[in-house]
Amino acid sequence: MLNRLPADERRAQLVESALTIAEQRGVASVTVRAVAEEAGVSLGVVHYCFESKEELLAAMGESLVQQLSESMRQAFGEVKHAPDLRGLAGLQELLHIGLSQMLPTIVGTPDRQLLTYEITAQALRHRASAGEHSADIAGQQYRKMDNEAIEFLSACAEIAEVRWKTPVEEIARLGLALVDGVVLRWLVDRDREGMIAAFDETVRVIAAKAVELP
């Protein structure tokens, strides 16, 4: 039965097995043999789906980017359920709603959060020697995150009836940089209250870049 899986399903299974290994033991532990054992398939099946370890790592990065993008979209989408918040105070509440919705995912998947940083760092480190597709994993991640953040910030401004004083793309970049730092610090000290306080400050910093419409 395993050998009759469609190719796309087989690749997805192997990628998830590789991600499981990387979460538990780090990216360096991802080998063709380890993935085959984790997935319960032969070495030949892995080689058939992925020509090289680099191709497998690129697929892992793509999967993480997609998962991250989907989790951000779901979290940020919660602002649509709070249409009565207006002005700068309303904007702060909307921003808080979006960031707060990310907390359960962050706290519930620390190993996967760490893995996103690890794969990004590896992609950057090997940018010169890796293939073009593999080297762009970090770029893909941040482009998708930028798009989700821009859509979120634009929706918040529309609902709260405010406008951003600087281009929303710049605010999205700043906001994501702040969130990145907050999550990385939490991975170090696991101080949830500290993370919440840092997110609150992030909200204040971002909201200060808006003005109410006349």
Side-chain angles (χ1 to χ4, degrees), residues 2-3 5 16 25 51 67 82 111 126 134 141 151 170 174 209 213:
L2 280 174
N3 291 331
L5 279 178
E16 193 58 34
R25 291 174 270 165
E51 293 184 359
Q67 291 173 26
D111 292 336
H126 298 289
S134 300
Q141 176 182 341
E151 184 177 339
E170 294 179 7
L174 171 63
K209 296 186 174 296
L213 294 173

Side-chain angles (χ1 to χ4, degrees), residues 8 11-20 23 50 55-71 112 115-116 119 133 137 140-141 144:
D8 57 344
R11 284 175 62 90
Q13 177 205 23
L14 296 176
V15 167
E16 193 58 34
S17 293
L19 289 171
T20 297
E23 282 182 307
F50 299 99
E55 183 181 345
L56 174 58
L57 290 174
M60 291 167 61
E62 288 179 343
S63 180
L64 282 176
V65 168
Q66 186 62 35
Q67 291 173 26
L68 181 60
S69 178
E70 289 176 359
S71 67
R112 190 140 298 198
L115 187 55
T116 63
I119 285 184
H133 185 61
I137 291 301
Q140 287 185 44
Q141 176 182 341
K144 282 185 174 290

